[in-house]
Amino acid sequence: MSVLVPCYNEAAVIARAVQALRAVDYPALEVLVLDDGSTDATAERARRAAAGDPRIRVVRDPANRGKADRLNLGLQAAGHELVLVLDADSHLQQDAVKLLVTRITRNPRIAAVAGMPHVTNRGSLLSGLQMLEYASIVGLIRRTQAVAGRVGTVAGIIGLFRRQAVLEVGGYDPAMATADIELTWRLL
């Protein structure tokens, strides 16, 4: 399992995400923290949080290419067929990887599995609105779609993908503002 964590100027939150990834119990786990030309201390804080864990590598690029391009480069560098994409301001529950892998390995035709994000930084109006969006809109839509056996969007915040399937459809499209939605539709 390769975990891709794209980040740009996430110094305030990256350590928590990396620490949560260090606690994940999964065999052959590889974590690539993909610093997209941050102008703050994101890369340094990620390295410090990794605390020498050999499963975690911080890949720093001085150029800001954007999330889609950064993820495409990460997919090329990933060493495993299953790739988890996780936003830098998120953190995984310890059993999340095992649950997502259980779902995706049920059928070789499943190209991606959506995780359920939970907002933990509730200190501002914006994060409060984000919490409402995830809990009501995203949660309701996913639950409804799951009844049919297909989820129409694997949101960029947390999703597990079959690397080869993503590469076969051309990866993330950097021209799309909602590259995660567009990628999901191509995978479907």
Side-chain angles (χ1 to χ4, degrees):
M1 159 83 57
S2 295
V3 180
L4 305 181
V5 185
C7 48
Y8 176 72
N9 290 345
E10 299 282 3
V13 296
I14 193 64
R16 185 172 181 191
V18 171
Q19 289 164 351
L21 286 164
R22 286 181 58 211
V24 170
D25 177 25
Y26 193 81
L29 184 72
E30 166 192 48
V31 177
L32 300 175
V33 178
L34 306 169
D35 187 322
D36 192 26
S38 294
T39 58
D40 65 4
T42 298
E44 177 53 35
R45 290 189 182 166
R47 281 188 196 94
R48 207 172 352 174
D53 188 326
R55 303 172 302 163
I56 301 172
R57 184 168 40 124
V58 178
V59 180
R60 168 115 173 81
D61 190 326
N64 177 256
R65 301 172 192 271
K67 184 176 181 180
D69 279 335
R70 184 63 48 217
L71 285 171
N72 287 332
L73 291 169
L75 284 163
Q76 295 296 327
H80 300 287
E81 173 57 18
L82 294 179
V83 176
L84 180 72
V85 175
L86 181 70
D87 276 358
D89 60 353
S90 306
H91 65 276
L92 286 176
Q93 298 297 323
Q94 283 183 309
D95 60 348
V97 172
K98 288 180 181 176
L99 292 170
L100 291 167
V101 169
T102 297
R103 178 68 180 114
I104 202 168
T105 56
R106 283 185 188 164
N107 184 330
R109 291 180 45 104
I110 298 174
V113 176
M116 182 59 192
H118 295 278
V119 177
T120 57
N121 59 337
R122 300 177 184 174
S124 71
L125 176 63
L126 180 59
S127 60
L129 292 172
Q130 187 180 33
M131 180 183 69
L132 286 173
E133 175 192 13
Y134 289 152
S136 59
I137 299 168
V138 174
L140 179 61
I141 290 170
R142 284 204 185 140
R143 284 181 185 91
T144 303
Q145 291 173 339
V147 171
R150 289 185 178 204
V151 174
T153 300
V154 176
I157 189 170
I158 179 174
L160 179 63
F161 298 88
R162 291 189 191 274
R163 180 178 172 269
Q164 193 57 41
V166 174
L167 294 174
E168 285 175 7
V169 298
Y172 288 88
D173 184 349
M176 298 296 293
T178 55
D180 52 349
I181 295 170
E182 195 269 341
L183 172 63
T184 304
W185 292 349
R186 282 187 284 124
L187 288 170
L188 284 169

